[in-house]
């Protein structure tokens, strides 16, 4: 299998964490996503992933799998141990709710392509973009905290083991901290995040800071 990624990408970090938890090795191909001519917009990469995003996984059969959640669920079904979704149906749903809340309602509003588009609009400078990113991150993680407060006890979102929701929470919380957002305002989220930081599969696969 071949995984197209970038070290700063939080969406790719999710897949790297899942691979580490499952101890699966794949070939990786780095694709730049910043700058004037990022490789993710090149004709060569668009032939591989027409959406022009990382991560993208190409299986040994040559099938393209896009979208980090779909890739993680594919890996989980391909190699079920250790499972990345809780057995309990309600916790399973919660884990997915958190994952989708992060992917669809936070991350989708703050990637480089959104910043590039905003920067092209009149009157939008770096400060406006920073405010935009911060706004959607604070609003989104605040909603995740509310969701997490509904959950039953357990160290992680889905109970005793880290699951899909934790995998999406980790890089997003790191990005929030890098924006100077204090996670302590969300006590449940902050406690789970602190526990995840102690797990090598998470800590070793955090998104790299932007240089
Ligand atoms: N929903 C997608 C998001 C993928 C995504 O936006 N990836 C970012 C990096 S974190 C990217 O490729 N950005 C390139 C760009 O925005 O131009 C997923 O979960 O895989």
């Amino acid at each position: 299998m071949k995984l197209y990624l970038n070290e700063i990408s939080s969406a790719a970090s999710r897949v790297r964490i899942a691979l580490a938890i499952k101890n699966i090795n794949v070939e990786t191909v780095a694709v730049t996503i910043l700058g004037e001519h990022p490789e993710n917009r090149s004709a060569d990469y668009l032939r591989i992933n027409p959406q022009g995003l990382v991560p993208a996984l190409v299986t040994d059969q040559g099938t393209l799998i896009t979208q980090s959640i779909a890739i993680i669920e594919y890996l989980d079904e391909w190699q079920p141990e250790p499972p990345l979704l809780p057995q309990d149906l309600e916790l399973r749903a919660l884990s997915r709710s958190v994952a989708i809340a992060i992917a669809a309602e936070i991350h989708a509003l703050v990637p480089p392509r959104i910043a590039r588009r905003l920067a092209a609009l009149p009157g939008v400078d770096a400060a406006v973009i920073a405010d935009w990113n911060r706004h959607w991150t604070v609003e989104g993680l605040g909603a995740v905290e509310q969701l997490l407060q509904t959950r039953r006890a357990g160290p992680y979102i889905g109970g005793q083991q880290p699951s899909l929701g934790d995998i999406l929470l980790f890089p997003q919380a790191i990005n929030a901290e890098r924006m100077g957002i204090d996670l302590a305002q969300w006590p449940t989220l902050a406690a789970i995040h602190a526990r995840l930081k102690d797990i090598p599969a998470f800590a070793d696969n955090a998104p790299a800071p932007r240089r």
Side-chain angles (χ1 to χ4, degrees), residues 17 27 43 67 96 122 149 204-205:
I17 293 167
E27 183 186 345
Q67 294 294 330
R96 284 191 168 119
Q149 287 185 3
D204 296 347
N205 290 293

Side-chain angles (χ1 to χ4, degrees), residues 8-145:
I8 66 163
S9 158
S10 53
S13 157
R14 302 166 189 162
V15 174
R16 292 193 284 125
I17 293 167
L19 288 166
I21 292 173
K22 288 191 176 282
N23 206 11
I24 299 173
N25 287 312
V26 297
E27 183 186 345
T28 58
V29 181
V31 178
T32 63
I33 58 173
L34 298 179
E36 239 177 274
H37 301 291
E39 288 165 354
N40 69 302
R41 302 306 312 163
S42 70
D44 280 353
Y45 188 64
L46 291 173
R47 264 192 294 278
I48 295 165
N49 177 5
Q51 252 196 315
L53 301 174
V54 293
L57 185 76
V58 177
T59 68
D60 289 341
Q61 288 68 39
T63 304
L64 169 70
I65 304 176
T66 64
Q67 294 294 330
S68 58
I69 294 177
I71 295 171
I72 293 168
E73 292 213 13
Y74 167 81
L75 293 170
D76 201 31
E77 286 162 7
W78 179 65
Q79 185 174 301
E81 291 299 326
L84 295 180
L85 281 166
Q87 287 307 309
D88 178 280
L89 273 193
E90 289 179 3
L91 288 175
R92 207 174 168 87
L94 175 66
S95 187
R96 284 191 168 119
S97 295
V98 171
I100 295 169
I102 289 170
E105 321 298 351
I106 304 177
H107 182 269
L109 293 163
V110 300
R113 63 193 177 283
I114 299 289
R116 269 199 298 273
R117 177 62 193 144
L118 287 173
L121 300 175
V124 176
D125 58 16
V128 172
I129 294 172
D131 180 84
W132 169 277
N133 290 344
R134 211 183 150 80
H135 171 84
W136 294 115
T137 303
V138 170
E139 183 171 293
L141 290 181
V144 168
E145 170 70 16

